[in-house]
Structures are given as structure tokens and as C-alpha cells.
Amino acid sequence: MAIQTVGIIGAGLMGNGIAQACATNDIKVIMLDVNDAAITRGIKTVSGSLDRLIKKEKMTEAQKADAIGRIKGTSNMQDLSAADFIIEAATENLDLKRKILKDVDDVARPEVIIASNTSSISITQLAAATSRPGQFIGMHFFNPVPMMALVEIIRAVQTSDATFAATEELAKRVGKAPICVKNAPGFVVNRILCPMINEAIFVLAEGLATAEDIDNGMKLGTNQPIGPLALADMIGLDTMLSVMNVFYEGFNDSKYRPAPLLKEMVAAGYLGRKTGKGFYTY
């Protein structure tokens, strides 16, 4: 089946980034969120991102207009019945995702593949929440989606070969470089990245160095573009804690225990950039 229209559930940071990747590669988008205000914010974010490409002379005004014209915002789940492929990019909450997937399952055509952009939740578990587990898969984009080339394609136990092949082809079509991953907590990149960030928080809590020196040490010593604590602030400390809890429970291994300081920061409401304060002040 030729994929001409992609449905995206969620107009937030990840959802609108995926929408941009699709729309700038000649794919129509139906972007769903709970209300018109959320959809307007999502489309405005895409517009601003495309304006930056125009400023860098990587896109023309006409190309921007064409891309924006391919994105249809909606708060009506029924509109996803027109989609050939659906990507769920809602908040990292298992119960919420299960509810959304059940609703999507009811409106999507029988042949349609449903993917989740989750960064940590079991794809096998999510697939089991649908009536089409063989047509369910993980499609984990990285933030910021327009700039990051990687997509982790995660196979559930139930995922068919045809579903994987179609998803891999779509990832390449929207300009991404896919890697094939088996289902396990955190998949590949976050399995390695998040414990590193968690360890940096332990180092800070033990007073071994300041946040600035920890981040500069990792940038200068390992050639990372951003330090682990600044990256935690960008990701969101609540998201970091959620991921580490998934690892801790999923592997039943103390090496994945969340740093106590991370728990304290989240309890205080210091979640990083989105609240103006985390390991740094914004």
C-alpha cells in the first residue's frame, strides 16, 4: 500500500516535528490533538522551523507554503480514518497510550499500520492493546526531529516482517536513517544515554564537580555537543525520571536506580527548560 497520508497523534514537540518531516517530503499529514489551541501551536512551531530554513536559504517561501498546506489539524479522532499510516506521539504514559491506541484501532482502516513514538514503553505491551498486533511497531524519532537523522524502529514480538519493511521505507522517505531494534526497556540509544545522564547527576550530588565543570568535561573530553546535565534539562527531568524508573523496574537491576537528586528536583518542580529551572536556570 502506498503511504500518501500519515496520521500523527499529538501536536507537541515530537508530533509537530514528525509532521514537518513528513510534510516537507511530499506526504500529507493529519495531526490530531485534544483542542484547536494545541493544533495551532503545533502548526505555528512548524512554520517557525521552516522560516529558519528559509533564512538559511535551504527552503523557499513557496516550498514552505506547500509543506504547511499538507498539514491538516484536527481534534476529531474519526479524521484519522483517512490516514494510510498512523504514528502515536502522545505523552509517555502507558495508560494514556493504551486508551489512545484503542480509539485509533477503532477508526483506522484494517490494513493500516500503527506506530508509537514512545522512548521507553514496551512495544510488545502496546501492540497487545490493539486488535492488529502484527501491524504495530515502534518508530522512535529523536528531538529535535527536523534536525536528528536517527529513527529507532522497534519490533514487538508480534510485529510482522511486512510491517517492519513498510515502516523502514517510510523512515527513509522522510529523510531519516533507521536502525532495527528489538523490544527492551529504553531500546538502544536511551538504554545507553539515560544511565550516563543519571550517573552525571550522582556525580553532581556527591559534590565531585559543578554542573558546568561536569558538562564541560564531557563536551571537551568525549566531544559531545552538549553536556549531560544540560541535556537532562532539555529532555525534561520528569521524563528522565520516568525513563530511569522504567529501566529499574524492567531490568530489576540496581544499576538503573534513579539518582536521589533527580527525584528531589522533580518533586520540587524543577523540570529543566520547560519550567525555567533545572540544573541550570533559563
Side-chain angles (χ1 to χ4, degrees):
M1 180 185 69
I3 296 169
Q4 297 178 319
T5 302
V6 169
I8 298 170
I9 301 163
L13 194 61
M14 297 304 291
N16 67 57
I18 298 167
Q20 178 178 328
C22 292
T24 53
N25 285 282
D26 298 324
I27 297 171
K28 292 177 183 175
V29 173
I30 301 167
M31 187 164 65
L32 175 87
D33 214 309
V34 290
N35 55 47
D36 291 342
I39 295 158
T40 300
R41 280 195 302 272
I43 293 175
K44 186 178 178 182
T45 300
V46 174
S47 179
S49 178
L50 297 182
D51 282 340
R52 288 190 288 276
L53 293 178
I54 291 169
K55 197 172 180 181
K56 294 175 183 175
E57 298 184 347
K58 293 182 177 179
M59 175 174 274
T60 65
E61 288 283 359
Q63 287 171 324
K64 175 193 169 180
D66 285 345
I68 293 293
R70 292 188 192 102
I71 303 173
K72 174 190 173 182
T74 183
S75 56
N76 184 356
M77 180 73 72
Q78 193 62 44
D79 288 341
L80 291 179
S81 62
D84 304 314
F85 190 105
I86 296 172
I87 303 170
E88 171 273 312
T91 307
E92 285 289 274
N93 178 293
L94 176 59
D95 291 337
L96 174 66
K97 286 185 185 290
R98 276 176 168 162
K99 181 184 182 307
I100 289 170
L101 291 172
K102 185 180 183 308
D103 292 342
V104 174
D105 202 22
D106 290 341
V107 302
R109 300 194 310 277
E111 70 274 16
V112 169
I113 292 167
I114 302 174
S116 176
N117 179 58
T118 181
S119 59
S120 61
I121 296 172
S122 166
I123 300 300
T124 296
Q125 199 171 6
L126 292 176
T130 74
S131 66
R132 61 186 85 200
Q135 290 159 243
F136 193 89
I137 198 162
M139 196 176 190
H140 180 214
F141 290 81
F142 285 75
N143 182 36
V145 177
M147 293 174 61
M148 300 294 279
L150 180 65
V151 173
E152 287 180 319
I153 300 180
I154 306 104
R155 298 186 72 139
V157 169
Q158 309 95 314
T159 305
S160 72
D161 290 343
T163 294
F164 175 80
T167 305
E168 184 179 44
E169 183 184 344
L170 177 62
K172 291 176 180 176
R173 220 175 120 195
V174 299
K176 302 304 178 187
I179 62 171
C180 179
V181 181
K182 290 181 181 177
N183 185 60
F187 315 131
V188 168
V189 174
N190 282 340
R191 168 83 175 270
I192 298 165
L193 177 68
C194 292
M196 182 200 75
I197 295 172
N198 194 52
E199 195 63 29
I201 299 169
F202 271 114
V203 169
L204 177 67
E206 290 166 18
L208 300 186
T210 64
E212 291 83 355
D213 282 349
I214 291 167
D215 279 356
N216 283 334
M218 292 302 290
K219 285 193 290 184
L220 298 173
T222 64
N223 208 27
Q224 295 182 21
I226 183 171
L229 299 175
L231 181 56
D233 280 352
M234 183 186 292
I235 292 167
L237 302 193
D238 52 341
T239 302
M240 266 299 307
L241 180 57
S242 172
V243 171
M244 291 309 301
N245 280 329
V246 167
F247 289 177
Y248 193 31
E249 293 162 15
F251 292 113
N252 195 28
D253 189 329
S254 63
K255 75 178 181 179
Y256 295 112
R257 71 198 184 284
L261 177 58
L262 176 60
K263 293 181 178 179
E264 280 289 286
M265 298 283 279
V266 172
Y270 300 154
L271 307 182
R273 290 192 182 191
K274 60 187 170 186
T275 59
K277 182 172 175 61
F279 295 111
Y280 298 92
T281 302
Y282 300 91

